[in-house]
């Protein structure tokens, strides 16, 4: 059982309409590294979004939803789980599942089998977070994604623009700082 909906493992459902009366449904869990390890051990080993720190009362947070920007900071929670459960995107004949704090996972678009983490052809580094939102620009036939690297006092937001062949067209970034000095 999970304590927060964001803790659940990612899954994909595909429906194929064969004719006017028949539909084929396929459902698969995204076989992330954490999902595979937990299945092998037969128990929950990792946490995802809601467990950011422990208190002396055994409660994972002092507020039960992930409202703190530090919940995605690499290294804060060593057992943090890339659930790959936030969004699926089909673009340029590639099916990706996304999560805010880690690399996307690539899936076979017909069988829904997990092919593994994707660095999008070398665009992302192994430890880079990748946003779980995407926007399609119909005027240019391009897809926009983002990455948000955070620390205690600033965020670096990077925008990625891919063409219809899933090739990086441009990327740009900006820094958002805490003007209050962490207060």
């Amino acid at each position: 059982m999970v304590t927060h909906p964001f803790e659940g493992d990612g899954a994909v459902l595909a429906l194929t309409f064969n004719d006017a009366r028949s539909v084929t449904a396929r459902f698969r869990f995204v076989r992330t590294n954490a999902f595979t390890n937990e299945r092998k051990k037969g128990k929950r080993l990792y946490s995802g979004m809601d467990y950011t720190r422990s208190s002396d009362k055994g409660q994972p947070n002092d507020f039960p939803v992930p409202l703190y920007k530090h919940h995605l900071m690499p290294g804060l929670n060593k057992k943090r789980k890339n659930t790959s459960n936030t969004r699926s995107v089909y673009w340029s004949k590639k099916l990706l599942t996304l999560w805010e704090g880690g690399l996307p996972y690539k899936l076979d678009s017909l069988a829904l089998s997990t092919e593994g983490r994707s660095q999008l052809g070398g665009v992302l580094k192994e430890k880079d977070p990748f946003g779980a939102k995407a926007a399609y620009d119909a005027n240019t036939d391009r897809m926009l994604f983002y990455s948000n690297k955070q620390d205690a006092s600033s965020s670096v937001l990077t925008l990625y623009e891919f063409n219809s062949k899933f090739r990086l067209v441009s990327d740009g970034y900006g820094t958002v700082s805490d003007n209050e000095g962490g207060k």
Side-chain angles (χ1 to χ4, degrees), residues 10-165:
V12 179
L13 172 68
L15 301 173
T16 303
F17 297 91
N18 302 316
D19 55 42
R21 297 180 186 195
S22 123
V23 176
T24 302
R26 294 176 310 285
F27 175 87
R28 300 281 185 276
F29 279 104
V30 180
R31 305 279 179 184
T32 63
N33 295 345
F35 178 92
T36 304
N37 289 339
E38 288 179 336
R39 287 292 167 117
K40 285 179 184 174
K41 296 286 185 181
K43 64 181 182 177
R44 185 174 176 192
L45 302 171
Y46 305 92
S47 61
M49 299 282 284
D50 68 336
Y51 288 98
T52 58
R53 58 188 154 187
S54 295
S55 72
D56 56 352
K57 296 182 171 90
Q59 296 296 317
N61 281 332
D62 48 356
F63 199 75
V65 293
L67 297 178
Y68 305 101
K69 67 180 179 179
H70 67 266
H71 72 281
L72 296 177
M73 288 174 56
L76 181 68
N77 186 340
K78 299 290 186 196
K79 296 247 180 192
R80 187 176 53 135
K81 177 181 185 178
N82 180 343
T83 55
S84 202
N85 69 356
T86 308
R87 175 163 298 192
S88 58
V89 174
Y90 182 74
W91 172 248
S92 185
K93 300 182 181 178
K94 290 179 179 43
L95 178 60
L96 299 174
T97 57
L98 309 173
W99 177 71
E100 292 286 340
L103 292 175
Y105 273 79
K106 184 178 175 189
L107 279 64
D108 178 278
S109 59
L110 185 58
L112 303 182
S113 56
T114 304
E115 295 178 2
R117 289 184 295 186
S118 175
Q119 292 177 278
L120 302 178
V123 172
L124 301 173
K125 294 179 179 66
E126 181 68 28
K127 299 266 183 196
D128 282 351
F130 194 65
K133 311 289 188 297
Y136 174 66
D137 184 347
N139 294 329
T140 61
D141 194 27
R142 294 183 176 172
M143 188 71 77
L144 303 171
F145 295 92
Y146 74 95
S147 172
N148 188 13
K149 293 181 185 177
Q150 301 174 350
D151 63 27
S153 63
S154 67
S155 295
V156 177
L157 182 67
T158 305
L159 300 176
Y160 300 96
E161 183 178 6
F162 292 92
N163 66 17
S164 62
K165 296 184 179 186

